């Protein structure tokens, strides 16, 4: 058996003095300082609430590991700037895609389209939670923003995007599992 070097910390050693756990944070005070800063960083291209969630998630992850640095305010602002820059680089504005004009369909195409619509309705009915309501709202009114969707569905505005992604992934998997039912494959 090999021995640990004498200067190595035991596996359950407390974090160094310059790091603090998340529980020691004055969250309300830091949030009052952070939210306006995030609003400025977000501008009109990003969602400030999404950025705030990202920064707090990073804080929780850091607190679970080595702990937060002593300069928490500066660290949170640095995380906010990095998150905003990353989001701006990855942000692609969502634009509803117009439905293509469909040439006159024959009976076979009409039958397949109707069967697909039934399969989607059945899959939507099998989704759990608020997914059916959210996806139906998006399908009926694709121009709605997150604020309007939040008011319509009761889902917090900052959770609309992640919830939408999860719901669409579930819907895709349900439809993929039943694809042969409506394509004849």
């Amino acid at each position: 058996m090999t021995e640990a070097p004498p200067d190595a910390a035991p596996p359950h050693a407390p974090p160094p003095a310059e790091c603090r756990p998340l529980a020691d944070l004055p969250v309300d005070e830091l949030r009052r300082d952070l939210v306006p800063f995030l609003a400025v960083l977000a501008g009109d291209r990003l969602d400030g609430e999404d950025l705030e969630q990202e920064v707090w998630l990073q804080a929780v992850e850091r607190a679970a590991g080595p702990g937060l640095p002593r300069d928490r305010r500066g660290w949170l602002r640095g995380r906010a700037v990095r998150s905003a820059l990353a989001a701006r680089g990855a942000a692609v504005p969502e634009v509803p895609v117009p439905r293509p004009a469909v040439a006159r369909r024959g009976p076979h195409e009409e039958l397949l389209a109707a069967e697909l619509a039934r399969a989607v309705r059945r899959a939507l009915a099998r989704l759990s939670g608020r997914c059916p309501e959210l996806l139906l709202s998006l399908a009926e009114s694709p121009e709605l923003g997150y604020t309007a969707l939040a008011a319509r569905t009761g889902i917090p505005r900052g959770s609309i995007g992640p919830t939408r992604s999860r719901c669409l992934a579930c819907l895709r998997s349900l439809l993929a599992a039943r694809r042969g039912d409506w394509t004849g494959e």
Side-chain angles (χ1 to χ4, degrees), residues 39-54:
V40 170
L41 287 175
D44 60 347
R45 291 181 44 200
L46 300 175
D47 184 355
E49 291 173 358
D50 286 346
L51 284 176
E52 183 182 2
Q53 284 184 353
E54 176 67 27

Side-chain angles (χ1 to χ4, degrees), residues 92-160:
V92 176
E94 289 187 15
V95 179
V97 178
R99 294 181 183 200
V102 178
R104 179 129 168 98
R105 295 191 274 194
H108 183 70
E109 288 87 8
E110 290 290 333
L111 181 62
L112 283 176
E115 192 58 36
L116 174 60
R118 280 191 294 276
V120 170
R121 281 193 301 275
R122 282 191 303 266
L124 275 171
R126 291 180 58 203
L127 292 174
S128 62
R130 295 180 170 169
C131 286
E133 182 183 6
L134 177 61
L135 293 181
L136 283 172
S137 294
L138 286 166
E140 292 169 357
S141 307
E143 74 284 352
L144 288 180
Y146 281 9
T147 303
L149 281 170
R152 182 183 279 191
T153 62
I155 298 171
R157 185 178 185 278
S159 297
I160 295 282

Side-chain angles (χ1 to χ4, degrees), residues 20 22-38 52 56 70-74 76-77:
R20 305 263 171 130
L22 190 62
D24 293 347
L25 282 180
V27 175
D28 291 336
E29 177 187 330
L30 289 171
R31 189 167 187 271
R32 277 192 301 271
D33 181 52
L34 186 63
V35 169
F37 184 70
L38 287 166
E52 183 182 2
W56 287 116
R70 190 174 293 278
D71 179 17
R72 300 173 296 232
R73 198 172 260 109
L76 288 169
R77 283 179 169 236

Side-chain angles (χ1 to χ4, degrees), residues 116 119-121 123 170-180 182:
L116 174 60
V120 170
R121 281 193 301 275
C170 290
L171 181 63
R172 280 187 201 102
S173 67
L174 286 172
L175 289 172
R178 305 288 301 200
R179 187 166 193 263
W182 53 271

